[in-house]
Amino acid sequence: DADTDSDTDADTDADTDTDATGDTGASGTTGDTATAAFCPTGTAADLQIEIFATDASGVCTQCTGNITLGVRVSNPCPMVVDLPLTQDCLVGTWEVAQQGGIGMGVGQICAQVMTQVPVPAMGSVEDSNGFGALGAGNYRGSAYLSTPNNLVLDTNFQVL
């Protein structure tokens, strides 16, 4: 190669890719192979989606006081990735059900329109809904996302 390093690519750093960052990642990545492993396509398929319960202390599986369900969409990619939705809201319906009891649900008013939510590079977007103080017991929280495949997320938590 015409550059001054000992590898065979055309840049001046000592790695085998063609970008000038001195890393082993593909051009356009943050440079480490771990990022490439978590962001193989740079599309919505790489997004990580999770549901969680929170109380005043933060994320909980054994909770007290007022309970909120949250959904987080995290982007491990070094570029903005759009999440396609079939409505203009991330979560169309939230539900909390006590084991052996009756559940309560909250539907949001969402327009039936295809949209994209941009998830920032190496960042996240969130949505949440408060359910207030729930009686002691074991619960399942659910979120019905407005994704084209109608993704349903569940989490179990206990109210002490």
Side-chain angles (χ1 to χ4, degrees):
D1 70 67
D3 57 9
T4 58
D5 59 12
S6 61
D7 61 14
T8 57
D9 60 10
D11 59 24
T12 58
D13 60 2
D15 62 15
T16 57
D17 62 12
T18 58
D19 65 357
T21 61
D23 60 35
T24 57
S27 180
T29 68
T30 60
D32 63 5
T33 54
T35 298
F38 291 118
C39 185
T41 67
T43 67
D46 297 328
L47 298 174
Q48 300 159 357
I49 304 174
E50 64 181 325
I51 184 173
F52 51 90
T54 64
D55 61 13
S57 68
V59 174
C60 59
T61 55
Q62 293 187 328
C63 310
T64 60
N66 291 329
I67 308 300
T68 298
L69 288 182
V71 167
R72 179 181 302 118
V73 181
S74 299
N75 179 3
C77 299
M79 75 286 282
V80 172
V81 174
D82 289 332
L83 175 65
L85 300 175
T86 59
Q87 299 180 18
D88 66 349
C89 55
L90 177 61
V91 178
T93 304
W94 298 91
E95 186 178 285
V96 169
Q98 188 172 15
Q99 277 186 336
I102 297 174
M104 85 173 89
V106 177
Q108 301 190 121
I109 299 173
C110 307
Q112 300 293 316
V113 58
M114 293 296 291
T115 189
Q116 303 273 337
V117 172
V119 184
M122 307 303 283
S124 63
V125 295
E126 293 187 18
D127 194 4
S128 63
N129 190 77
F131 285 89
L134 302 174
N138 295 315
Y139 289 84
R140 165 165 272 154
S142 302
Y144 297 81
L145 278 67
S146 303
T147 58
N149 61 351
N150 297 313
L151 182 62
V152 178
L153 301 174
D154 295 307
T155 187
N156 293 314
F157 60 96
Q158 181 181 28
V159 175
L160 304 174

